[in-house]
């Protein structure tokens, strides 16, 4: 019955719905890349004179807000619709950027970073759910995930580049930079308001559709939500039959990024002596290799499977991170960054496709939210560990530990590739 649809799925990838998701991923990552890589470290540290401890706390709370609420956000998106979930959350993002632009007290800046994380938390659960629904768990997920990663990597890379140029052009004034980000937030809200509403979930019979509900109906819906949460927990216990190694693997996959991201700029400037302009070129080199390789890698994942892409990607990234920590020659630094970018191009679409095949169709959004919360928790812990390593073990320590973690991921995936599901309960998943 689905045979014809399977061949046509790649042609149906760029639907209006998927295009909106792509735009939202690009703009959210553009804003976060701008703030976390280019603006906040310098603005909070040099302009406002805040301590490294306050900056680290602000970053950790941003990551905490972004990840701690992904599972609830995924559950809401599946039952209440994408439009209401995303538009409500993105209001927090708009408020957060306004706070960052006008307030200077450390406590409010920390609160603003937490709100920024809360505002972006539903993005990936919504995007992964919508994409998996469109492409099918065993069809064109690789191409779809690769296309989304281009939006993510493109936004993350272009954000710092454009903002560095804007800051230099306007005499190191941050007013225009924050105006650009506020404009991006407004565009995001408008796009979110064009997403599908509760109708998308109504087919599952979760809730009765109504634009305005009475007080009694609201109480009934609240009871249904609480009951639904209990049912969802039960579903996760009975239907999420995966190898327990998947949980540390989810954490470690983002822990690497959390280790590197807070210190990469500092390492490039202080230890390698790279100028801001050359650093921008370095970002383009690494990000460019990743973006250019994502689409072909995604398509090959659909044809050949995920196993060898993940094996090679984890090994390549792990070995190259060790190499990056010892080189001082600028050409070799560029080679290292390009190889790390290639490793991530192999990993990203394959890893997301691997996860998609483990998720029960009946609870896609909830499980995606659960997986992404675990995966994102590494981004919460990573910056804290990175700061301690930087101060106490040396400036190369975060990169050496990142290489070790990547090799651990390689070992985890060797086991997961053989037994992705728990054998004891595998039979119970059959319909």
């Amino acid at each position: 019955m689905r045979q014809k649809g399977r061949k046509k799925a790649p042609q149906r990838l760029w639907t209006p719905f998927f295009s909106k998701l792509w735009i939202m991923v690009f703009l959210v990552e553009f804003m976060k890349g701008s703030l976390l890589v280019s603006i906040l470290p310098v603005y909070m540290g040099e302009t406002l004179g805040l301590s490294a401890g306050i900056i680290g706390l602000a970053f950790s709370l941003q990551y905490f807000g972004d990840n701690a609420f992904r599972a609830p956000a995924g559950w809401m998106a599946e039952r209440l619709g994408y439009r209401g979930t995303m538009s409500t959350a993105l209001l927090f993002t708009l408020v957060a950027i306004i706070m960052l632009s006008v307030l200077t007290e450390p406590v409010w800046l920390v609160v603003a970073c937490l709100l920024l994380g809360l505002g972006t938390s539903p993005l990936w659960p919504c995007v992964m759910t919508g994409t998996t629904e469109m492409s099918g768990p065993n069809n064109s997920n690789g191409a779809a995930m690769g296309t989304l990663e281009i939006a993510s990597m493109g936004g993350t890379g272009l954000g710092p580049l454009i903002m560095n140029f804007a800051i230099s052009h306007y005499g190191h004034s941050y007013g225009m930079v924050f105006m650009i980000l506020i404009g991006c937030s407004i565009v995001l809200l408008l796009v979110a308001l064009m997403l599908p509403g509760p109708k998308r979930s109504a087919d599952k019979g979760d809730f009765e559709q109504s634009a305005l509900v009475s007080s009694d109906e609201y109480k009934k819906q609240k009871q249904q939500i609480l009951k639904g949460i209990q049912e969802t927990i039960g579903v996760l216990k009975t239907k999420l039959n995966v190898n327990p190694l998947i949980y540390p693997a989810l954490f470690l996959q983002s822990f690497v990024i959390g280790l590197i991201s807070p210190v990469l700029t500092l390492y490039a400037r202080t230890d390698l002596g790279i100028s801001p302009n050359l650093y921008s070129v370095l970002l383009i080199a690494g990000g460019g290799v990743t973006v250019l390789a994502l689409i072909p890698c995604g398509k090959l994942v659909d044809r050949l499977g995920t196993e060898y892409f993940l094996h090679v990607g984890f090994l390549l990234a792990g070995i190259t991170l060790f190499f990056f920590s010892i080189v001082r020659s600028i050409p070799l630094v560029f080679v290292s960054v390009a190889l790390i970018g290639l490793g991530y191009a192999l990993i990203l679409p394959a890893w997301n496709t691997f996860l998609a095949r483990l998720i029960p169709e009946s609870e896609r959004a909830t499980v995606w939210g659960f997986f992404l919360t675990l995966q994102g928790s590494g981004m919460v812990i990573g910056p804290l560990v990175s700061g301690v390593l930087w101060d106490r073990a040396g400036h190369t320590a975060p990169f050496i530990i990142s290489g070790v973690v990547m090799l651990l991921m390689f070992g985890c995936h060797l086991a997961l590739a053989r037994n992705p599901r728990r054998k004891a309960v595998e039979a119970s998943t059959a319909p």
Side-chain angles (χ1 to χ4, degrees):
M1 186 172 168
R2 308 267 295 179
Q3 296 292 328
K4 292 183 180 179
R6 290 183 66 181
K7 290 189 177 181
K8 292 182 180 178
Q11 282 75 26
R12 292 187 286 114
L13 181 61
W14 283 103
T15 61
F17 176 57
F18 184 80
S19 300
K20 295 182 184 80
L21 295 180
W22 195 95
I23 291 169
M24 293 180 70
V25 169
F26 177 83
L27 286 177
V28 166
E29 298 302 334
F30 177 90
M31 291 165 55
K32 289 173 66 175
S34 300
L35 287 166
L36 301 178
V37 176
S38 181
I39 297 172
L40 290 183
V42 180
Y43 176 68
M44 296 174 74
E46 296 183 5
T47 304
L48 301 181
L50 302 181
S51 68
I54 294 295
I55 297 171
L57 176 62
F59 274 49
S60 291
L61 284 178
Q62 190 279 142
Y63 290 128
F64 171 79
D66 191 15
N67 292 289
F69 293 91
R70 283 187 175 184
W75 189 89
M76 289 174 62
E78 189 165 69
R79 288 160 173 78
L80 306 179
Y82 297 109
R83 184 194 307 148
T85 304
M86 284 304 308
S87 59
T88 302
L90 289 171
L91 278 174
F92 286 96
T93 302
L94 178 59
V95 170
I97 295 176
I98 293 172
M99 290 175 66
L100 290 170
S101 66
V102 300
L103 301 175
T104 57
E105 290 295 321
V107 63
W108 291 116
L109 294 174
V110 169
V111 170
C113 286
L114 175 60
L115 287 177
L116 178 67
L118 293 175
T120 58
S121 61
L123 176 71
W124 281 104
C126 287
V127 166
M128 291 301 195
T129 304
T131 302
T132 307
E133 285 177 357
M134 288 171 48
S135 58
N138 297 303
N139 188 19
S140 62
N141 270 311
M145 299 303 179
T147 305
L148 288 172
E149 291 295 347
I150 286 180
S152 176
M153 297 291 296
T156 303
L158 283 175
L161 295 178
I162 292 174
M163 291 305 164
N164 281 337
F165 173 80
I167 291 169
S168 301
H169 184 73
Y170 289 99
H172 297 277
S173 171
Y174 289 88
M176 181 56 68
V177 166
F178 283 117
M179 288 299 294
I180 293 171
L181 294 178
I182 289 171
C184 290
S185 296
I186 293 171
V187 172
L188 272 169
L189 267 174
L190 294 175
V191 174
L193 290 171
M194 293 187 286
L195 291 173
K199 265 188 180 179
R200 194 174 184 85
S201 301
D203 293 337
K204 298 181 181 180
D206 292 328
F207 299 106
E208 292 182 7
Q209 293 183 50
S210 177
L212 297 171
V213 295
S214 67
S215 177
D216 290 340
E217 289 172 326
Y218 175 78
K219 289 179 181 177
K220 289 179 182 178
Q221 287 193 0
K222 188 176 179 181
Q223 291 174 350
Q224 286 179 304
I225 290 174
L226 294 174
K227 183 180 178 182
I229 292 173
Q230 293 174 344
E231 291 175 352
T232 298
I233 293 172
V235 167
L236 291 178
K237 288 180 178 179
T238 57
K239 290 191 176 181
L240 187 55
N241 300 320
V242 297
N243 188 320
L245 274 176
I246 197 71
Y247 304 123
L250 284 164
F251 173 83
L252 293 173
Q253 203 268 345
S254 63
F255 181 66
V256 172
I257 302 173
L259 282 172
I260 295 174
S261 57
V263 298
L264 182 59
T265 304
L266 290 173
Y267 184 73
R269 292 190 180 185
T270 59
D271 291 66
L272 300 180
I274 294 176
S275 67
N277 289 336
L278 188 58
Y279 182 64
S280 296
V281 177
L282 188 67
L283 290 177
I284 293 172
V289 169
T290 305
V291 169
L292 289 174
L294 275 172
I295 286 292
C297 285
K299 290 182 178 179
L300 288 172
V301 164
D302 289 332
R303 292 182 182 179
L304 305 176
T306 64
E307 183 174 349
Y308 295 109
F309 287 88
L310 290 173
H311 287 342
V312 175
F314 289 134
L315 271 180
L316 180 62
I319 293 170
T320 310
L321 281 166
F322 281 114
F323 183 66
F324 180 80
S325 68
I326 62 173
V327 298
R328 291 295 180 270
S329 168
I330 299 302
L332 290 179
V333 169
F334 272 82
V335 171
S336 301
V337 169
L339 288 175
I340 292 171
L342 178 59
Y344 265 90
L346 294 170
I347 293 168
L348 291 172
W351 181 248
N352 288 331
T353 301
F354 176 74
L355 294 180
R357 291 172 180 171
L358 298 177
I359 291 176
E361 187 174 340
S362 60
E363 293 290 335
R364 277 196 186 116
T366 305
V367 178
W368 267 123
F370 175 63
F371 275 3
L372 292 170
T373 297
L374 286 177
Q375 185 164 289
S377 63
M379 290 292 289
V380 179
I381 306 300
L384 299 176
V385 176
S386 180
V388 173
L389 291 172
W390 179 271
D391 291 333
R392 299 186 181 181
H395 293 183
T396 61
F399 302 98
I400 294 172
I401 299 302
S402 296
V404 172
V405 172
M406 273 297 185
L407 295 181
L408 284 175
M409 281 293 296
F410 172 72
C412 280
H413 185 256
L414 280 177
L416 286 170
R418 293 185 181 131
N419 300 300
R421 299 183 185 274
R422 291 185 304 225
K423 289 183 178 180
V425 294
E426 203 166 42
S428 66
T429 61

